[in-house]
Amino acid sequence: MTRPIAADLVTRCRQRAILDHEPEWLIQQRCQALLMSQDLDWPKYPRVSRTLFSRPVMPSQSRIQQQKAVISDQQTIKVTQKNMSTLTITVSQQLQEKGVLVMDLAAAAAKQTALVRSYLTRKPSDRISALHAAYWNCGLFIYLPDQLHLSAPIELLLQIDSAAEIEQHILLVTGADVQASILQITKTTADGVSTRLNSVLQLIAGPDSRLACFAVDQLQHSTTSYINRESHLAANAQVDWLLAEMNLNNLIADCAATLEGDGSKADLRVVSLADRKQQQVLMTKLIHIGKHTTGQINQRGVILQQGRLIYNAIGRIIKGAHAANSEQTSRVLLLSPTANGDANPILLIDENDVEAGHAASIGRVSPQQLYYLMSRGLSASAARRLLVKSFFDDLLNQLPIASVRTELNQLLEKRLSENGE
């Protein structure tokens, strides 16, 4: 029996969707997700208190649309969003003629119903995902057709500079044999503004596709955030993730690859820095369903002052996923006596004919390396800073845009300097 408070919420959810002129199938989907949220539990993270979760509530503001389409001569795709608004969508005429679709998600739900509905309709796995399905109030839909090979990265930028409850949902779908890279930047540009961000990026990779996905998050103290990035891979698809979590706030972030098709491959790489009393929880998951699938997790974190960083890496091999290979490595560097780090490798294996392994280390700067650099004339502080930067560099240098690499290096220098390194 539906509780009265839930019934009231469902009514309000429906009324808001009607005011936004959403199609009936989407309205029903929102209401069903809201009802399901009552019976689902919060997601579980090993060694993480539930108090880190901020209970999502129905956003107080309706969706805002200020979309402006820009036609470019260049083979580029760039989208700029601010708070809940899509400011600009830049895509060339040539790409549009090839079948590329880039549009606001709500508009896509109405105009590309058959395509969007088949991917957006998914059964929520926990209470947060159910509430997000009911409440999302901004987002994007990007479709890349078969055999599209892009040389320039797709740039997705979300800027947050005012108080808001942002439920962002990005749905990116590719056809077969697509090659592209995607750079997603999420940043708070004004501090002291209380904002709640629940961001989901849902990537569907078609057969034989090759996708490189880069995500850079720079959120301020006043932003409460939960970020989820998930990818589903068809046969022989490959998706390589690189996440740079350079936030100042408490954060829970998920990144998952579901290897559904035979021969699919995924590489999940994470770099993060925690300082002051900041708590960051990074969950990376590889789910092997198809045969002959390969997945790797590589996480690197630095903790300063009283920061806390938790890496939970999960490799799950489903029964029937013959010849799957799941490997994971987590390395955490402690730079203060009060820093706190966890690296929790988890392997859940239901098939015999597989390979799996993990490595995890939590330690301090190597005295031998420090001594070697100081013997070359560097101060102790400069030597430690150089070692920390080299800890990150081989991953951060893979970011596809030079200005982003430079900005992150400068940010890393600033954070280390502020912490006396």
Side-chain angles (χ1 to χ4, degrees), residues 48 57 125 199 260 267 275 377 383 397:
V48 177
V57 296
S125 57
S199 175
E260 297 172 351
D267 190 358
D275 60 7
N397 286 340

Side-chain angles (χ1 to χ4, degrees), residues 106-290:
K111 297 177 181 176
Q112 302 289 336
T113 300
L115 196 54
V116 173
R117 186 175 184 177
S118 60
Y119 295 108
L120 198 59
T121 304
R122 56 175 185 158
K123 186 177 180 181
S125 57
D126 54 53
R127 187 173 296 185
I128 283 186
S129 60
L131 291 173
H132 175 78
Y135 293 157
W136 65 263
N137 57 4
C138 62
L140 289 171
F141 174 66
I142 300 174
Y143 176 74
L144 306 179
D146 294 351
Q147 300 178 334
L148 179 74
H149 295 182
L150 293 176
S151 55
I154 299 171
E155 298 180 53
L156 310 176
L157 172 63
L158 171 63
Q159 297 175 320
I160 302 168
D161 67 355
S162 65
E165 291 134 351
I166 302 172
E167 295 277 345
Q168 181 195 46
H169 194 104
I170 298 175
L171 175 59
L172 199 160
V173 180
T174 83
D177 187 25
V178 171
Q179 296 182 19
S181 60
I182 301 104
L183 174 62
Q184 182 193 21
I185 297 177
T186 305
K187 62 168 61 177
T188 310
T189 55
D191 197 11
V193 178
S194 179
T195 304
R196 183 170 57 243
L197 169 67
N198 183 0
S199 175
V200 175
L201 192 157
Q202 183 184 355
L203 171 62
I204 312 296
D208 300 304
S209 293
R210 299 288 183 270
L211 302 172
C213 304
F214 304 90
V216 177
D217 299 325
Q218 299 179 56
L219 302 173
Q220 297 288 342
H221 301 88
S222 53
T223 303
T224 301
S225 58
Y226 174 74
I227 299 176
N228 183 299
R229 297 180 174 97
E230 61 178 53
S231 46
H232 299 263
L233 285 71
N236 298 313
Q238 180 171 342
V239 175
D240 296 329
W241 286 96
L242 172 56
L243 278 57
E245 299 295 349
M246 307 301 286
N247 309 287
L248 294 173
N249 66 335
N250 295 333
L251 173 81
I252 294 180
D254 280 359
C255 183
T258 303
L259 302 157
E260 297 172 351
D262 293 351
S264 53
K265 299 179 180 178
D267 190 358
L268 311 184
R269 295 159 294 168
V270 178
V271 295
S272 57
L273 186 149
D275 60 7
R276 300 163 189 162
K277 295 184 178 179
Q278 185 183 8
Q279 296 188 56
Q280 289 196 18
V281 182
L282 286 308
M283 176 83 87
T284 47
K285 288 181 280 190
L286 288 168
I287 304 170
H288 299 259
I289 298 175

